[in-house]
Amino acid sequence: MLKRQIGTLFLATCLILTTVPAALSAQNTITVNPTSGSGAQTAINNAINSVASKATPSNPGVVILSAGTYKISAPIVLKSNVVLKGSGDGTIIFATGSVCNSEGAPGYIFGSGVSNVEVSHLQFQSTATGPKDGGHGSYRNCIRFISVSNAKVHDILFDRYLYGDGVRISKSSGINVYNCRIQSSGHDGVSFLSGTKNSRMYNNYVEVQTNTGVRVDNCANIEVDHNTFTGSAGSGWCCVQLQNTLTNVKVHHNIMHDFKGSSSSAGVGNWNAKGSISVHDNVMWNVSPYVQVGSGSNILGPSDHNVNNWVAKGYGYGSLGNS
């Protein structure tokens, strides 16, 4: 009997010793709380660096931003295998125009040469007050990726008004942008640029503001689907901009409605686009011209202008649920 009890105790001890390290390694999480002042990026970056040192692709580090306003005076810099997650619309990243104010500047949240990253459940705000306020082009972006692989951006509110692009992506692969509300950015809502490939934008609500809802420029294997584009700011020129050499770009099951731009009010706009482009099964009304480039059948000018009805039929933002 004594030998049996000793054997049972030994087995139980071995089980504890083998399970404790795994449980501890799964707790690679740091929670950051907002503080006064404008240097909130310091605490966030310190947390990212800390969890990144122990993170792997199968066991990522997690930085959680609790509800509140984080006033930043420099970029938040991502590291590989790290998740940056807020608490929803109540977690606000607030930036002035001085955070990134030159051509090629990083952006408010910046990833370069990293992989397996995720940014979600945040709101972005700035001091911009109108559709043409602040930066334009490749600077003052909310999220910027350069040479990034396998990234997710989701469940983010890009509030009115912002200085630059909501998400600007260059030379990257495997980027997914979904479940976001872009209301709206000061340039493009989402930009796939400069050799980006194997990426997707889906299930987003986008109000087009200064330029376009999404731009796809010199990219391959890009899918833009199940988004809703609209906008009455009286600036910008198209909901979807297709530009330069494109390979296997698909635009489908989007709703584009009631968009009023300045130079144009196009649904799918063409800027020297060429290559394999498919534009099919999109629903469009009160945009003009409807489709400037791309082959495929679409539902143009339907009598039913009820967005919810089309969502129920499998088109636009909300038609995929929270996938």
Side-chain angles (χ1 to χ4, degrees):
M1 176 65 71
L2 180 60
K3 290 183 178 179
R4 180 179 299 176
Q5 290 175 335
I6 292 174
T8 302
L9 180 61
F10 176 77
L11 178 60
T13 303
C14 289
L15 287 173
I16 291 172
L17 291 174
T18 55
T19 56
V20 166
L24 290 176
S25 66
Q27 304 302 312
N28 189 14
T29 299
I30 294 178
T31 298
V32 178
N33 297 311
T35 59
S36 60
S38 60
Q41 76 283 346
T42 300
I44 298 172
N45 285 334
N46 287 342
I48 289 173
N49 291 336
S50 179
V51 299
S53 65
K54 297 172 283 187
T56 65
S58 59
N59 184 33
V62 180
V63 174
I64 296 176
L65 304 182
S66 59
T69 299
Y70 297 78
K71 295 182 179 180
I72 63 173
S73 55
I76 296 167
V77 182
L78 298 172
K79 300 292 185 179
S80 293
N81 307 316
V82 170
V83 174
L84 179 64
K85 182 179 181 180
S87 301
D89 291 354
T91 299
I92 298 168
I93 304 297
F94 180 87
T96 66
S98 63
V99 174
C100 303
N101 56 13
S102 63
E103 186 77 12
Y108 306 142
I109 296 179
F110 180 56
S112 177
V114 298
S115 60
N116 306 314
V117 295
E118 183 173 346
V119 182
S120 72
H121 297 91
L122 304 168
Q123 178 181 171
F124 285 93
Q125 293 182 358
S126 76
T127 55
T129 57
K132 296 183 179 179
D133 193 2
H136 184 85
S138 65
Y139 51 98
R140 292 185 184 175
N141 303 292
C142 293
I143 299 174
R144 188 173 188 195
F145 291 151
I146 301 174
S147 301
V148 170
S149 61
N150 300 325
K152 297 178 181 178
V153 175
H154 63 93
D155 295 280
I156 293 178
L157 171 60
F158 298 86
D159 201 14
R160 191 189 318 270
Y161 294 90
L162 294 168
Y163 288 115
D165 294 356
V167 186
R168 188 176 183 90
I169 306 156
S170 302
K171 302 176 183 177
S172 298
S173 177
I175 314 299
N176 286 279
V177 181
Y178 57 96
N179 296 357
C180 294
R181 292 159 291 152
I182 303 175
Q183 302 176 332
S184 179
S185 300
H187 185 239
D188 298 334
V190 177
S191 293
F192 295 105
L193 308 173
S194 305
T196 295
K197 60 184 179 180
N198 305 328
S199 298
R200 185 183 179 197
M201 172 190 180
Y202 64 97
N203 206 44
N204 300 282
Y205 172 81
V206 183
E207 293 181 17
V208 183
Q209 191 173 276
T210 303
N211 200 47
T212 71
V214 56
R215 179 197 303 257
V216 185
D217 179 3
N218 277 319
C219 296
N221 303 323
I222 305 295
E223 192 169 10
V224 177
D225 64 284
H226 297 89
N227 306 284
T228 295
F229 299 93
T230 188
S232 57
S235 62
W237 76 280
C238 64
C239 297
V240 177
Q241 178 175 325
L242 302 181
Q243 184 171 349
N244 295 319
T245 302
L246 303 173
T247 303
N248 191 32
V249 170
K250 299 178 181 179
V251 180
H252 64 92
H253 289 90
N254 301 284
I255 300 174
M256 305 178 200
H257 73 96
D258 298 300
F259 167 58
K260 178 63 177 177
S262 53
S263 58
S264 173
S265 304
V268 178
N270 176 15
W271 190 268
N272 301 320
K274 58 184 178 181
S276 49
I277 303 167
S278 175
V279 179
H280 67 89
D281 292 295
N282 299 283
V283 183
M284 305 183 193
W285 67 85
N286 292 338
V287 298
S288 180
Y290 288 120
V291 180
Q292 292 183 324
V293 63
S295 60
S297 298
N298 298 279
I299 302 171
L300 307 178
S303 58
D304 184 359
H305 290 184
N306 187 306
V307 172
N308 290 333
N309 289 346
W310 288 107
V311 171
K313 296 175 182 178
Y315 300 87
Y317 170 71
S319 60
L320 296 180
N322 294 319
S323 59

